[in-house]
Amino acid sequence: MPHVLSATDMPAAELLRRAEAWRQRLTENATPPIQPKAALVALLFYEPSTRTRAAFEQACVLLGYHPLVITVEASSIVKGESLQDTVRTLNAQGVRAIVIRHPHSGAPQLAAQVSHTPILNAGDGAHEHPTQALLDLYTLWLHYGKPDPTTQWLSGRKMAIVGDIRHSRVARSNLTLLTRAGAEVWLCAPPTLQPDAPLQNAHLTSDASEAVRDADVVMALRLQTERMAQGLLPSLNAYRRDYQLNTPRLQLAKPDCVVMHPGPIQRGVEIADEVADGARSLILTQVQNGVYVRAAVLEYALEEK
Ligand code: CP
């Protein structure tokens, strides 16, 4: 029974191939025949989500499972039930898998310790967002023509991730998958939004020009004000001036550089409209690929071995 807790333990090459099979299936037939199963997959969301939740809901439907969405406000969690007891309860009711988004780092790992069914991490605090990193990797894999995913197929490519690195689970999970595929990864944030501890295999800078110069891929990140202690960002205008991904800044990158963002976007803050909506933007492709990737991950976790 495989849990999917971190980018480190995901079989990325296998999951890219499974996602591609889903893309092809859904491209050929937008409403493929589905064999409904009399079984539930729980989506346990302790934090807001649009993309991840909708993609996992679609993935459940595509695989024939009924998605049981549980949000904090409408559950016994508000009565003080612990995460572990919530997981035990769902296990006792026979759910086949539990997808968890949680504000605390390590919550899916805690859930996995007591769960008889697979736990899928849909983002935990500032720790990991493995399926987001996988869909980002899949988006690049398609963009670069589906090279052999078992090789270092991003070797020679420079990837710059710019924004609130300190609070970014996306940056952490992406760093794992991108460096494993051979990319040179640059993480760029103002000094107050850099990580507390060094992140292995990353070039860390506070100079956005250094990060973006000659990059093949630039990913902008949202300022996670909900996780931010007061004073970490003294001036939003200064942030825009020094870190916003806009046309002049993007001109430092390679001419064929593509732009990514995990969403949600704060237009006019970390990314300018003309870049978010421009010809180099893969942002909506990332969202679309999120469905194929979640179907692949759920299929992998639920497969009878
Ligand atoms: N990228 C991402 O996790 O978006 P949501 O918060 O909308 O799921």
Side-chain angles (χ1 to χ4, degrees), residues 45 47-54 101 122-123 129 132 135 169-170 222 261-264 294:
F45 276 66
E47 264 189 355
S49 165
T50 299
R51 280 148 283 273
T52 311
R53 179 178 144 178
R101 167 163 293 192
H129 197 347
Q132 176 69 46
L135 78 86
R169 54 197 178 205
V170 174
R222 179 175 71 89
H261 193 307
R294 270 60 180 243

Side-chain angles (χ1 to χ4, degrees), residues 80-257:
E81 186 169 66
S82 71
L83 171 65
Q84 289 95 326
D85 281 338
T86 302
V87 168
R88 288 186 186 104
T89 300
L90 293 169
N91 276 186
Q93 292 184 334
V95 302
R96 301 302 163 86
I98 304 175
V99 178
I100 297 181
R101 167 163 293 192
H102 203 285
H104 294 142
S105 299
Q109 283 77 3
L110 273 182
Q113 285 169 11
V114 299
S115 184
H116 304 310
T117 55
I119 299 292
L120 279 61
N121 183 355
D124 62 320
H127 182 221
E128 284 249 21
H129 197 347
T131 64
Q132 176 69 46
L134 188 66
L135 78 86
D136 294 337
L137 191 75
Y138 176 68
T139 301
L140 291 176
W141 185 65
L142 283 186
H143 180 74
Y144 290 124
K146 295 191 271 183
D148 181 350
T150 62
T151 64
Q152 294 235 309
W153 55 275
L154 281 173
S155 183
R157 303 273 182 200
K158 178 179 177 183
M159 168 101 190
I161 305 179
V162 181
D164 181 0
I165 302 291
R166 185 187 186 93
H167 301 102
S168 178
R169 54 197 178 205
V170 174
R172 282 166 182 75
S173 291
N174 258 300
L175 178 61
T176 301
L177 294 189
L178 292 168
T179 52
R180 202 194 286 169
E184 176 189 322
V185 179
W186 285 72
L187 303 177
C188 175
T192 52
L193 294 179
Q194 295 206 354
D196 281 337
L199 298 175
Q200 278 190 341
N201 302 322
H203 300 264
L204 191 60
T205 180
S206 57
D207 179 349
S209 298
E210 185 184 26
V212 172
R213 186 168 292 115
D214 297 326
D216 296 279
V217 182
V218 181
M219 178 183 288
L221 296 177
R222 179 175 71 89
L223 290 170
Q224 299 197 32
T225 45
E226 72 275 23
R227 298 187 215 286
M228 225 178 257
Q230 277 198 339
L232 275 184
L233 193 67
S235 160
L236 199 55
N237 279 339
Y239 183 81
R240 282 194 189 95
R241 182 194 63 215
D242 295 337
Y243 296 97
Q244 184 186 80
L245 190 55
N246 50 29
T247 302
R249 188 153 281 129
L250 197 55
Q251 277 167 354
L252 296 171
K254 287 194 179 141
D256 60 353
C257 172

